């Protein structure tokens, strides 16, 4: 039976993952993800991406001088034994064309406990309507 502590763990790991993305912290992102992570996301143009190489490209880009902040809104967490699913809307605040801008994305992320450690194994991101 999943406990509130299990849910807190999944929320914390997801928050860490998003912070690693906004900070361009590849080491943390890689540590949290399974090497065979799969995903659908707008950057993949309708294709299922398999593995980390596609994601590393974005971490290798020069980081901008402007702050970026992600907020997880109304997360729903379901834990099924060694598998957990978290779904939420992610608000990303950034500066675009010199103005503060917010982008909303619907995200579903799947975590799998492997060798006692939760690893991110699949996600789906799409623009919130
Ligand atoms: N685009 C990478 C991720 O959302 O995990």
């Amino acid at each position: 039976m999943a406990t509130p502590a299990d849910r807190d763990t999944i929320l914390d790991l997801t928050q860490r993952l998003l912070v690693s993305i906004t900070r361009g912290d590849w080491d943390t992102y890689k540590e949290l993800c399974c090497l065979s992570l799969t995903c659908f996301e707008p950057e993949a143009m309708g294709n299922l991406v398999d593995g980390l190489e596609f994601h590393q490209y974005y971490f290798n880009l020069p980081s901008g001088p402007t702050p970026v902040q992600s907020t997880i809104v109304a997360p729903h967490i379901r834990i099924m034994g060694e598998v957990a699913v978290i779904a939420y809307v992610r608000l990303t605040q950034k500066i675009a064309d010199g103005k503060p801008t917010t982008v909303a994305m619907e995200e579903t992320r799947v975590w799998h406990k492997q060798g006692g450690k939760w690893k991110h194994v699949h996600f789906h991101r799409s623009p919130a309507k």
Side-chain angles (χ1 to χ4, degrees), residues 13-29:
L13 286 169
T14 305
Q15 187 68 52
R16 272 186 69 199
L17 188 86
L18 298 189
V19 168
S20 76
I21 294 167
T22 56
R23 291 191 181 158
D25 175 357
W26 174 247
D27 288 343
T28 299
Y29 188 82

Side-chain angles (χ1 to χ4, degrees), residues 17 21 29 41 55 90 109 123 125:
L17 188 86
I21 294 167
Y29 188 82
E41 63 177 344
H55 306 290
R90 171 181 171 190
R109 293 184 185 268
F123 69 91
R125 300 171 58 230

Side-chain angles (χ1 to χ4, degrees), residues 13-103:
L13 286 169
T14 305
Q15 187 68 52
R16 272 186 69 199
L17 188 86
L18 298 189
V19 168
S20 76
I21 294 167
T22 56
R23 291 191 181 158
D25 175 357
W26 174 247
D27 288 343
T28 299
Y29 188 82
K30 193 174 162 201
E31 180 202 322
L32 294 171
C33 293
C34 178
L35 291 176
S36 62
L37 173 74
T38 50
C39 81
F40 283 112
E41 63 177 344
E43 293 85 343
M45 307 296 290
N47 297 287
L48 179 71
V49 171
D50 190 340
L52 297 183
E53 197 179 341
F54 182 85
H55 306 290
Q56 189 171 17
Y57 169 83
Y58 297 96
F59 286 82
N60 287 340
L61 295 175
S63 60
T66 60
V68 180
Q69 176 169 280
S70 281
T71 303
I72 293 173
V73 181
H76 183 276
I77 299 169
R78 183 186 297 264
I79 298 177
M80 297 155 284
E82 306 282 278
V83 175
V85 176
I86 178 168
Y88 54 88
V89 169
R90 171 181 171 190
L91 296 180
T92 302
Q93 295 162 272
K94 57 188 173 185
I95 307 294
D97 296 328
K99 292 184 189 155
T101 307
T102 302
V103 176

